[in-house]
């Protein structure tokens, strides 16, 4: 049934019985309380039950019968090799996003960040660990600067801060900036407070300056620095030669409208199960085309960023039938498609099963029709991993990047405990998975899994929330042409022009 940790039978058939059993037990709305949420779930996404002993028994029976991998067991398709894993060390918090520059990988963690030397991907070396708590520590790099998002209320802007109620005016949230010119000794050089903190951020280089689009949401009238309406993004300008002067230069309103709701999705109860739009979760920019795609809770948007400090929304779409929380976006190579992800349940629920189905907690593929400010987003299809997961495994579409193959649309993506999926959407109407890697359930029904997986210079790098830093090698005729592409830097939310060596 299983040999050399490779599942040989068809994935959908392999997991089918577990999905039926879990449905019968009514366990699919279970919340994994130990799972860190990648996003605050919308009103309609909150679970009703915790995992029961019967759910755990179902999973144990499925493992025993071979229907799903065993606890912490690694399984993968034939075309993927798992070449290294570096466990968490001095930073015990949840691992989050990744960025790359030269021979280094930068890994966010709720307790700070790590820097890996990946010159030899089979033996990554930790060259620096920085303790600087503040969820979720979304991370990016540009030149000698490293950027870190803080989206938790802190006592001050230092790396020695403690948690403090968001209702206190003195509390701090926002962007932190480090000098990494000495890669082994990052130096904290600037902090910029932003409204509602910084859940994620996106870099947009502009000559000698770097603009930072700060995404945040969930305002409340009781929060002194995060009151509604909060229907836009903070734009920070960072002079590369004087990062200590970084400051917010604008707050463009992306969803203009009347009252506290603005012009975004009103969410529940108007649209049951959909998050109310009170800002953006993540924005991906495509500087070579002056385009950006925003995943903004209840809305997906396309923007003109020809003026970096003043992005302009040129189209706005909703999917009130199937999308609960618009989480992130990825352009294809030709910039005529966008993949949006739906983080159903905030990343803490088991949603990769038969009852939830293939259209919720999935990717939505949109064609871009028209040019310039006349461009429009048109929905084509959904993609979700075909491998059903256990009722104890938090699983939903999460962070990924393109694998740059000319003439094809292929990306790699994390699915929390659903593992890593490589899938193709060249035919937008018929996307398909072409490779996968995953671990079996964590012990005792704990939440976790892979947060981010990105292609960088011929390898796949993954930051697993619980298990650490993974490196994989993909060997497939459809993706091998990407090995001729070389990048000097990669922040997945700042999509580069992929040039061959």
């Amino acid at each position: 049934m299983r040999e050399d940790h490779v599942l040989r039978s068809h994935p959908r058939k392999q997991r089918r019985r577990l999905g039926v059993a879990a449905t019968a037990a009514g366990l699919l709305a279970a919340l994994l309380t130990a799972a860190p949420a990648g996003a605050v779930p919308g009103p309609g996404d909150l679970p009703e039950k915790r995992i029961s002993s019967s759910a755990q028994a179902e999973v144990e029976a499925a493992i025993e019968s071979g229907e799903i991998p065993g606890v912490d067991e690694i399984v993968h398709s034939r075309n993927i090799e798992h070449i290294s894993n570096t466990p968490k060390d001095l930073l015990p918090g949840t691992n989050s996003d990744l960025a790359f520059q030269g021979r280094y990988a930068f890994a966010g963690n709720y307790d700070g960040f790590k820097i890996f030397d990946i010159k030899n991907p089979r033996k990554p070396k930790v060259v620096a660990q920085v303790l600087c708590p503040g969820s979720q520590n979304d991370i990016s790099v540009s030149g000698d600067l490293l950027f870190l998002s803080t989206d938790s209320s802190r006592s001050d802007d230092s790396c020695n801060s403690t948690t403090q109620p968001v209702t206190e005016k003195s509390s701090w949230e926002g962007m932190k900036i480090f000098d990494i010119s000495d890669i082994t000794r990052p130096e904290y050089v600037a902090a910029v407070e932003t409204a509602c903190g910084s859940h994620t951020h996106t870099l947009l280089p502009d000559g000698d300056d770097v603009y930072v689009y700060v995404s945040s949401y969930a305002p409340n009238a009781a929060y002194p620095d995060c009151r509604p309406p909060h229907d836009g993004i903070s734009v920070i300008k960072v002079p590369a030669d004087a990062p200590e002067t970084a400051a917010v230069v604008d707050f463009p309103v992306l969803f203009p409208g009347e009252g506290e709701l603005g012009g975004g999705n009103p969410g529940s109860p108007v649209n049951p199960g959909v998050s109310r739009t009170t800002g953006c979760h993540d924005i991906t920019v495509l500087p070579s085309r002056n385009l950006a795609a925003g995943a903004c809770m209840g809305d997906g948007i396309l923007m003109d960023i020809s003026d970096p400090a003043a992005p302009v929304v040129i189209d706005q779409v909703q999917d009130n039938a199937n999308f609960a929380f618009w989480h992130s976006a990825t352009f294809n190579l030709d910039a005529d498609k966008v993949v949006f992800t739906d983080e159903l349940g905030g990343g803490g629920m088991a949603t990769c099963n038969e009852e939830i189905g293939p259209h919720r907690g999935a990717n939505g593929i949109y064609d871009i029709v028209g040019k310039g400010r006349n461009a429009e987003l048109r929905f084509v299809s959904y993609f979700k991993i075909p491998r059903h997961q256990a009722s104890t495994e938090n699983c939903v579409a999460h962070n990924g990047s393109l694998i740059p193959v000319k003439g094809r649309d292929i990306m790699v993506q994390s699915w929390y405990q659903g593992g890593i999926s490589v899938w193709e959407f060249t035919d937008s109407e018929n996307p398909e998975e072409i490779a996968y890697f995953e671990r079996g359930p964590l012990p005792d029904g704990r939440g976790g899994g892979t947060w981010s997986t990105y292609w960088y210079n011929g390898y796949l790098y993954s930051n697993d929330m619980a298990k650490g830093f993974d490196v994989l090698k993909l060997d497939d005729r459809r993706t091998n042409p990407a090995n001729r592409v070389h990048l000097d830097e990669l922040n997945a939310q700042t999509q580069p022009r992929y040039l061959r060596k």
Side-chain angles (χ1 to χ4, degrees), residues 33-327:
T33 55
V40 177
D45 301 333
L46 296 178
E48 298 176 355
K49 299 180 181 178
R50 292 190 175 187
I51 291 173
S52 65
S53 57
S54 60
Q56 189 64 43
E58 289 280 357
V59 172
E60 291 172 359
I63 292 172
E64 181 67 24
S65 67
E67 293 175 24
I68 65 171
V71 171
D72 286 342
E73 179 185 4
I74 291 176
V75 295
H76 56 83
S77 55
R78 290 177 177 271
N79 51 1
I80 278 186
E81 178 189 3
H82 185 211
I83 63 175
S84 67
N85 170 264
T86 306
K88 292 195 294 188
D89 187 10
L90 300 180
L91 301 178
T94 299
N95 282 336
S96 57
D97 212 4
L98 294 168
F100 304 86
Q101 186 182 85
R103 60 190 281 183
Y104 299 103
F106 303 82
N109 177 286
Y110 276 40
D111 285 331
F113 64 92
K114 284 184 181 181
I115 303 176
F116 294 90
D117 184 335
I118 54 172
K119 183 179 181 180
N120 180 357
R122 294 182 180 274
K123 295 183 178 180
K125 298 178 181 178
V126 177
V127 297
Q129 296 193 68
V130 176
L131 180 65
C132 195
S135 66
Q136 53 188 14
N137 277 342
D138 192 49
I139 194 167
S140 296
V141 291
S142 179
D144 288 336
L145 300 179
L146 180 147
F147 300 81
L148 209 62
S149 284
T150 299
D151 192 31
S152 60
S153 186
R154 313 296 299 182
S155 56
D156 55 54
D157 64 5
S158 75
C159 284
N160 298 316
S161 67
T162 58
T163 57
Q164 182 168 290
V166 68
T167 52
E168 293 188 21
K169 177 62 178 172
S170 63
S171 295
W172 185 91
E173 299 179 71
M175 288 298 310
K176 295 170 181 170
I177 304 172
F178 293 78
D179 185 320
I180 53 172
S181 53
D182 181 347
I183 202 72
T184 64
R185 294 179 179 274
E187 181 184 357
Y188 187 10
V189 295
V192 182
E193 187 170 15
T194 56
C196 298
S198 174
H199 192 72
T200 66
H201 67 269
T202 304
L203 304 187
L204 180 55
D206 183 54
D208 293 332
D209 302 321
V210 177
Y211 286 90
V212 186
Y213 292 167
V214 176
S215 295
S216 55
Y217 53 91
N220 189 299
Y223 302 164
D225 298 318
C226 182
R227 288 180 173 143
H230 181 78
D231 45 13
I233 58 174
S234 298
V235 178
I236 299 173
K237 184 177 181 179
V238 185
D241 58 353
E244 67 279 1
T245 65
V248 175
V249 294
D250 206 350
F251 186 88
V253 174
L254 305 180
F255 303 96
E258 299 296 326
E260 291 188 357
L261 294 181
N265 199 318
S268 299
V270 178
N271 296 315
V274 178
S275 295
R276 176 163 68 96
T277 298
T278 59
C280 290
H281 179 275
D282 212 342
I283 292 171
T284 295
V285 295
L286 191 61
S288 62
R289 301 293 186 95
N290 285 327
L291 279 177
C296 302
M297 304 182 70
D299 294 88
I301 58 176
L302 192 65
M303 292 185 286
D304 181 328
I305 56 171
S306 51
D307 181 351
V312 175
V313 175
I314 57 180
D315 198 24
Q316 176 181 352
V317 292
Q318 298 177 355
D319 181 353
N320 295 321
N322 289 307
F323 260 49
F325 191 99
W326 295 66
H327 175 274

Side-chain angles (χ1 to χ4, degrees), residues 428-457:
S428 299
E429 295 182 351
N430 298 288
E432 63 173 345
E433 183 175 75
I434 62 177
Y436 70 91
F437 168 93
E438 70 167 284
R439 291 180 169 91
L442 286 166
D444 303 320
R446 294 204 307 267
T450 173
W451 179 290
S452 300
T453 307
Y454 300 133
W455 179 96
Y456 182 69
N457 294 344

